[in-house]
Short mmCIF file of all heavy atoms in Angstrom, two decimals:
data_model
loop_
_atom_site.label_atom_id
_atom_site.label_comp_id
_atom_site.label_asym_id
_atom_site.label_seq_id
_atom_site.Cartn_x
_atom_site.Cartn_y
_atom_site.Cartn_z
N LEU A 1 3.33 4.51 7.90
CA LEU A 1 3.17 3.03 7.45
C LEU A 1 3.66 2.25 8.56
O LEU A 1 4.90 2.34 8.97
CB LEU A 1 3.85 2.92 6.14
CG LEU A 1 3.86 1.47 5.58
CD1 LEU A 1 2.49 0.94 5.21
CD2 LEU A 1 4.66 1.31 4.26
N LYS A 2 2.91 1.08 8.93
CA LYS A 2 3.54 0.15 9.84
C LYS A 2 4.07 -0.94 9.10
O LYS A 2 3.56 -1.57 8.16
CB LYS A 2 2.37 -0.38 10.64
CG LYS A 2 2.04 0.27 11.87
CD LYS A 2 1.05 -0.41 12.77
CE LYS A 2 0.87 0.33 14.05
NZ LYS A 2 0.11 -0.41 14.97
N ILE A 3 5.36 -1.18 9.29
CA ILE A 3 6.14 -2.26 8.81
C ILE A 3 5.99 -3.44 9.86
O ILE A 3 6.41 -3.19 10.91
CB ILE A 3 7.60 -1.85 8.50
CG1 ILE A 3 7.69 -0.71 7.50
CG2 ILE A 3 8.36 -3.06 8.08
CD1 ILE A 3 8.91 -0.22 7.42
N PRO A 4 5.39 -4.55 9.50
CA PRO A 4 5.21 -5.62 10.41
C PRO A 4 6.58 -6.34 10.79
O PRO A 4 7.49 -6.35 9.98
CB PRO A 4 4.34 -6.63 9.78
CG PRO A 4 4.22 -6.24 8.30
CD PRO A 4 4.82 -4.81 8.12
N PRO A 5 6.65 -6.82 12.02
CA PRO A 5 7.93 -7.47 12.43
C PRO A 5 8.15 -8.72 11.33
O PRO A 5 7.26 -9.28 10.90
CB PRO A 5 7.63 -7.96 13.71
CG PRO A 5 6.47 -7.09 14.30
CD PRO A 5 5.70 -6.63 13.11
N GLY A 6 9.37 -8.93 11.09
CA GLY A 6 9.81 -10.12 10.21
C GLY A 6 9.46 -9.85 8.77
O GLY A 6 9.50 -10.72 7.89
N SER A 7 9.34 -8.45 8.31
CA SER A 7 9.29 -8.15 7.00
C SER A 7 10.51 -8.57 6.16
O SER A 7 11.65 -8.63 6.80
CB SER A 7 8.93 -6.77 6.93
OG SER A 7 7.69 -6.39 7.39
N LYS A 8 10.32 -8.78 4.99
CA LYS A 8 11.49 -9.31 4.05
C LYS A 8 11.55 -8.12 2.92
O LYS A 8 10.68 -7.55 2.55
CB LYS A 8 11.21 -10.56 3.48
CG LYS A 8 11.08 -11.75 4.52
CD LYS A 8 10.80 -13.04 3.98
CE LYS A 8 10.70 -14.24 4.86
NZ LYS A 8 10.68 -13.84 6.37
N SER A 9 12.74 -8.24 2.43
CA SER A 9 13.17 -7.31 1.17
C SER A 9 12.26 -7.80 0.12
O SER A 9 12.15 -9.06 -0.22
CB SER A 9 14.58 -7.44 0.97
OG SER A 9 14.85 -6.43 0.08
N GLY A 10 11.68 -6.90 -0.65
CA GLY A 10 10.88 -7.27 -1.76
C GLY A 10 9.26 -7.35 -1.37
O GLY A 10 8.50 -7.41 -2.24
N GLN A 11 8.99 -7.46 0.00
CA GLN A 11 7.63 -7.53 0.34
C GLN A 11 6.95 -6.30 -0.02
O GLN A 11 7.50 -5.15 -0.05
CB GLN A 11 7.63 -7.69 1.89
CG GLN A 11 6.26 -7.91 2.42
CD GLN A 11 6.25 -8.26 3.94
OE1 GLN A 11 7.49 -8.73 4.39
NE2 GLN A 11 5.34 -8.02 4.75
N ARG A 12 5.57 -6.36 -0.55
CA ARG A 12 4.74 -5.28 -0.95
C ARG A 12 3.62 -5.06 0.20
O ARG A 12 3.05 -6.02 0.54
CB ARG A 12 4.16 -5.53 -2.19
CG ARG A 12 5.01 -5.32 -3.48
CD ARG A 12 4.33 -5.54 -4.73
NE ARG A 12 2.93 -5.55 -4.80
CZ ARG A 12 2.16 -5.15 -5.79
NH1 ARG A 12 2.72 -4.69 -6.84
NH2 ARG A 12 0.85 -5.34 -5.76
N LEU A 13 3.65 -3.66 0.53
CA LEU A 13 2.60 -3.30 1.55
C LEU A 13 1.58 -2.37 0.75
O LEU A 13 2.14 -1.49 -0.12
CB LEU A 13 3.08 -2.71 2.68
CG LEU A 13 3.99 -3.40 3.46
CD1 LEU A 13 4.72 -2.60 4.56
CD2 LEU A 13 3.45 -4.62 4.11
N ARG A 14 0.36 -2.38 0.98
CA ARG A 14 -0.68 -1.55 0.15
C ARG A 14 -1.25 -0.53 1.00
O ARG A 14 -1.62 -0.68 2.17
CB ARG A 14 -1.77 -2.49 -0.35
CG ARG A 14 -2.72 -1.61 -1.20
CD ARG A 14 -3.76 -2.52 -1.92
NE ARG A 14 -4.85 -2.74 -0.90
CZ ARG A 14 -5.92 -3.41 -1.22
NH1 ARG A 14 -6.18 -3.79 -2.42
NH2 ARG A 14 -6.78 -3.61 -0.25
N LEU A 15 -1.13 0.75 0.42
CA LEU A 15 -1.87 1.87 1.09
C LEU A 15 -3.00 2.15 0.17
O LEU A 15 -2.97 2.75 -0.90
CB LEU A 15 -0.95 3.05 1.13
CG LEU A 15 0.24 2.96 2.05
CD1 LEU A 15 1.19 4.05 1.99
CD2 LEU A 15 -0.35 2.87 3.50
N ARG A 16 -4.15 1.70 0.60
CA ARG A 16 -5.45 1.77 -0.15
C ARG A 16 -5.82 3.23 -0.38
O ARG A 16 -5.84 4.01 0.49
CB ARG A 16 -6.56 1.08 0.58
CG ARG A 16 -7.79 0.93 -0.34
CD ARG A 16 -8.93 0.29 0.65
NE ARG A 16 -8.61 -1.03 0.98
CZ ARG A 16 -9.04 -2.19 0.58
NH1 ARG A 16 -9.83 -2.16 -0.50
NH2 ARG A 16 -8.62 -3.30 1.02
N GLY A 17 -6.07 3.58 -1.68
CA GLY A 17 -6.52 4.91 -2.07
C GLY A 17 -5.50 5.89 -1.95
O GLY A 17 -5.87 7.09 -2.11
N ARG A 18 -4.39 5.54 -1.90
CA ARG A 18 -3.18 6.53 -1.93
C ARG A 18 -2.52 6.66 -3.16
O ARG A 18 -1.35 7.29 -3.27
CB ARG A 18 -2.16 6.26 -0.70
CG ARG A 18 -2.83 6.42 0.58
CD ARG A 18 -3.13 7.72 0.94
NE ARG A 18 -3.61 7.88 2.31
CZ ARG A 18 -3.62 9.09 3.07
NH1 ARG A 18 -3.05 10.21 2.45
NH2 ARG A 18 -4.05 9.11 4.13
N GLY A 19 -2.95 6.10 -4.36
CA GLY A 19 -2.41 6.10 -5.63
C GLY A 19 -2.91 7.26 -6.31
O GLY A 19 -3.24 8.43 -5.83
N LEU A 20 -3.15 7.16 -7.65
CA LEU A 20 -3.66 8.31 -8.41
C LEU A 20 -5.09 8.60 -8.03
O LEU A 20 -5.89 7.62 -7.81
CB LEU A 20 -3.53 7.93 -10.05
CG LEU A 20 -1.97 7.89 -10.41
CD1 LEU A 20 -2.06 7.53 -11.83
CD2 LEU A 20 -1.44 9.11 -10.35
N PRO A 21 -5.46 9.87 -8.02
CA PRO A 21 -6.85 10.26 -7.56
C PRO A 21 -7.76 9.74 -8.79
O PRO A 21 -7.47 9.72 -9.93
CB PRO A 21 -6.76 11.86 -7.50
CG PRO A 21 -5.63 12.21 -8.30
CD PRO A 21 -4.62 11.06 -8.24
N GLY A 22 -8.97 9.63 -8.34
CA GLY A 22 -10.06 9.22 -9.30
C GLY A 22 -11.08 8.43 -8.60
O GLY A 22 -11.18 8.47 -7.34
N ARG A 23 -12.05 7.95 -9.37
CA ARG A 23 -13.20 7.18 -8.80
C ARG A 23 -13.16 5.88 -9.45
O ARG A 23 -13.74 5.76 -10.55
CB ARG A 23 -14.45 7.97 -9.15
CG ARG A 23 -14.52 9.26 -8.32
CD ARG A 23 -16.08 9.83 -8.51
NE ARG A 23 -16.04 11.16 -7.98
CZ ARG A 23 -16.49 11.48 -6.69
NH1 ARG A 23 -17.03 10.65 -6.02
NH2 ARG A 23 -16.51 12.75 -6.42
N PRO A 24 -12.75 4.90 -8.74
CA PRO A 24 -12.21 4.83 -7.45
C PRO A 24 -10.55 5.31 -7.51
O PRO A 24 -10.05 5.24 -8.52
CB PRO A 24 -12.14 3.47 -6.93
CG PRO A 24 -12.07 2.62 -8.25
CD PRO A 24 -12.81 3.49 -9.24
N ALA A 25 -10.08 5.82 -6.41
CA ALA A 25 -8.70 6.28 -6.46
C ALA A 25 -7.84 4.95 -6.51
O ALA A 25 -8.28 3.83 -5.98
CB ALA A 25 -8.41 6.96 -5.06
N GLY A 26 -6.66 5.08 -6.98
CA GLY A 26 -5.72 3.93 -7.03
C GLY A 26 -5.12 3.74 -5.69
O GLY A 26 -5.22 4.41 -4.83
N ASP A 27 -4.34 2.63 -5.58
CA ASP A 27 -3.56 2.30 -4.43
C ASP A 27 -2.14 2.57 -4.66
O ASP A 27 -1.51 2.57 -5.69
CB ASP A 27 -3.70 0.85 -4.06
CG ASP A 27 -5.06 0.40 -3.82
OD1 ASP A 27 -5.99 1.33 -3.30
OD2 ASP A 27 -5.54 -0.79 -4.04
N LEU A 28 -1.41 2.83 -3.47
CA LEU A 28 -0.02 2.99 -3.46
C LEU A 28 0.59 1.59 -2.94
O LEU A 28 0.32 1.20 -1.86
CB LEU A 28 0.44 4.17 -2.71
CG LEU A 28 1.97 4.39 -2.37
CD1 LEU A 28 2.60 4.57 -3.70
CD2 LEU A 28 2.19 5.52 -1.48
N TYR A 29 1.41 1.02 -3.77
CA TYR A 29 2.06 -0.19 -3.38
C TYR A 29 3.51 0.14 -3.02
O TYR A 29 4.25 0.67 -3.68
CB TYR A 29 2.03 -1.22 -4.47
CG TYR A 29 0.72 -1.77 -4.67
CD1 TYR A 29 -0.15 -1.31 -5.65
CD2 TYR A 29 0.28 -2.79 -3.82
CE1 TYR A 29 -1.43 -1.74 -5.85
CE2 TYR A 29 -1.07 -3.36 -4.03
CZ TYR A 29 -1.90 -2.88 -4.90
OH TYR A 29 -3.10 -3.30 -5.24
#
């Protein structure tokens, strides 16, 4: 996972399709 420069505590980044499997798969926040 790339953390962008200047990130802040509490900031959410999304990994699309890395959550629960299914059609469609969920995301991992």
Side-chain angles (χ1 to χ4, degrees):
L1 173 67
K2 273 192 172 183
I3 298 173
S7 292
K8 296 181 178 16
S9 197
Q11 184 172 338
R12 280 182 14 150
L13 303 174
R14 182 172 81 170
L15 292 170
R16 187 184 302 255
R18 295 293 184 158
L20 294 176
R23 294 189 188 257
D27 298 330
L28 173 60
Y29 290 94

